[in-house]
Amino acid sequence: MGEVEYSGGDFGKFVVAGAIAGTAEHCGMFPLKTHVQAARPNGEFLALRQSIGLIVRGSGYGGFFRGISAVVGGAAPAHAVYFSTYEFVKQRLGVSRRHDDHQPVATAAAGIAATTLSDLIMVPMETIKQRMQLNMRPYKSVPHCIKTVLRNEGVFAFWAGYTTTLTMNLPYAGMWFASYESLCKLIYSRQGQPPLNEAGEPEYNPTVHLLAGGGAGVCASAFTNPFDVAKTRLQTQGDVGKTYSGMVDALTTIWREEGIYGYMRGVRPRMVFHATSGAICWSVYEFVKQ
């Protein structure tokens, strides 16, 4: 098959490229999603325009970036683990680096393994970010937020949404990676034989990675939106006045109280969000990797 084995140097590139791509993605796509999906204490849900106004009135434009240091601190190591695990498992499953080797099932399995490990790092960072952004309690800083949550709710509060996150992220990651690789191959097939680098991979083409990354984000986000809503409710339940016993309770409560609309809350901005973040993440990752 002309397969090129990965070396230790390759994995070093995957780690560095993943860390840089994750930081770029999370810094660039930080502000709005949490505000659309989270409930206020009185049960009111705010539209995107109302959320923007609320943030600006309450915290100024700096409110869009409350908690960003926690996300930056988690994004780099989490994405280093994410992409290096993906590349490692993909190779172990026999997926070559050739542009015409299409194995979506193996690619999806590698993505599922990658997100299982990386979410152990990312979930606590997401919890802190969402609590800082919602601004329902007067957290002065990220360390103050960590100390307050730890004192009032215990250490496991930081991983309150981990099970739900995995329930959402495992199918999301499987579809995201498989869609990305498939879209790349589809685009390359329409362009003809692309120029290859020494590893046998197509040379960097930003248009391909932007389009494939954006398309993968749209596909994966639309199908997993109900789980994302439940995850957000679990992670912010200590601040918004509602409590859930777990993922199933959150999903059934949302369905009972809000119906299908509750499951689809934030789906349009989420699709835009993940299309843009996917385009950023994959184009930066592929650029740094090469």
Side-chain angles (χ1 to χ4, degrees):
M1 293 178 62
E3 203 173 310
V4 178
E5 293 292 330
Y6 298 151
S7 67
D10 287 325
F11 282 107
K13 288 193 297 183
F14 300 151
V15 169
V16 173
I20 294 174
T23 301
E25 174 199 348
H26 283 273
C27 288
M29 301 303 303
F30 184 77
L32 293 178
K33 180 169 70 77
T34 299
H35 300 276
V36 176
Q37 290 183 338
R40 318 308 290 180
N42 61 2
E44 178 187 4
F45 294 93
L46 301 181
L48 184 59
R49 184 182 301 176
Q50 292 174 303
S51 296
I52 294 173
L54 180 67
I55 299 164
V56 173
R57 288 194 301 272
S59 307
Y61 289 101
F64 289 107
F65 299 95
R66 282 176 58 88
I68 193 170
S69 60
V71 173
V72 171
H79 279 72
V81 171
Y82 193 47
F83 280 102
S84 59
T85 301
Y86 167 70
E87 298 281 6
F88 175 80
V89 175
K90 188 172 71 168
Q91 187 225 354
R92 290 296 180 184
L93 293 176
V95 181
S96 77
R97 304 173 76 174
R98 292 173 18 178
H99 74 283
D100 57 350
D101 183 20
H102 188 208
Q103 299 188 43
V105 175
T107 300
I112 288 171
T115 201
T116 301
L117 294 179
S118 65
D119 279 348
L120 285 171
I121 302 171
M122 205 62 218
V123 165
M125 301 301 104
E126 284 287 319
T127 299
I128 296 166
K129 179 205 76 170
Q130 290 172 347
R131 293 189 181 227
M132 292 289 292
Q133 282 188 321
L134 282 174
N135 202 24
M136 298 301 299
R137 292 185 180 180
Y139 298 124
K140 299 175 183 178
S141 63
V142 169
H144 179 245
C145 178
I146 294 172
K147 291 177 182 177
T148 302
V149 174
L150 189 62
R151 181 177 63 250
N152 294 340
E153 303 174 50
V155 67
F156 293 108
F158 294 110
W159 283 273
Y162 181 68
T163 301
T164 305
T165 298
L166 280 185
T167 303
M168 178 194 70
N169 281 358
L170 295 183
Y172 180 93
M175 184 174 294
W176 192 61
F177 280 105
S179 296
Y180 171 75
E181 299 282 4
S182 297
L183 287 169
C184 280
K185 295 179 193 313
L186 177 63
I187 296 170
Y188 284 131
S189 70
R190 292 181 177 273
Q191 291 181 342
Q193 174 69 30
L196 305 179
N197 60 22
E198 294 180 357
E201 296 176 317
E203 291 185 357
Y204 180 73
N205 184 329
T207 301
V208 172
H209 302 305
L210 287 168
L211 290 175
V218 169
C219 294
S221 62
F223 284 105
T224 57
N225 198 72
F227 297 108
D228 190 58
V229 174
K231 181 198 74 170
T232 301
R233 302 291 178 84
L234 281 169
Q235 289 180 322
T236 58
Q237 61 184 323
D239 289 351
V240 298
K242 284 191 175 183
T243 58
Y244 307 97
S245 62
M247 175 194 66
V248 174
D249 182 43
L251 288 169
T252 55
T253 300
I254 294 167
W255 176 260
R256 184 175 63 252
E257 295 181 355
E258 303 167 52
I260 189 65
Y261 178 74
Y263 282 165
M264 292 295 105
R265 185 170 299 281
V267 67
R268 285 180 293 180
R270 185 169 183 255
M271 289 172 66
V272 173
F273 179 95
H274 284 279
T276 308
S277 68
I280 294 172
C281 189
W282 278 112
S283 59
V284 171
Y285 176 74
E286 297 285 3
F287 175 77
V288 178
K289 187 176 75 171
Q290 294 202 20

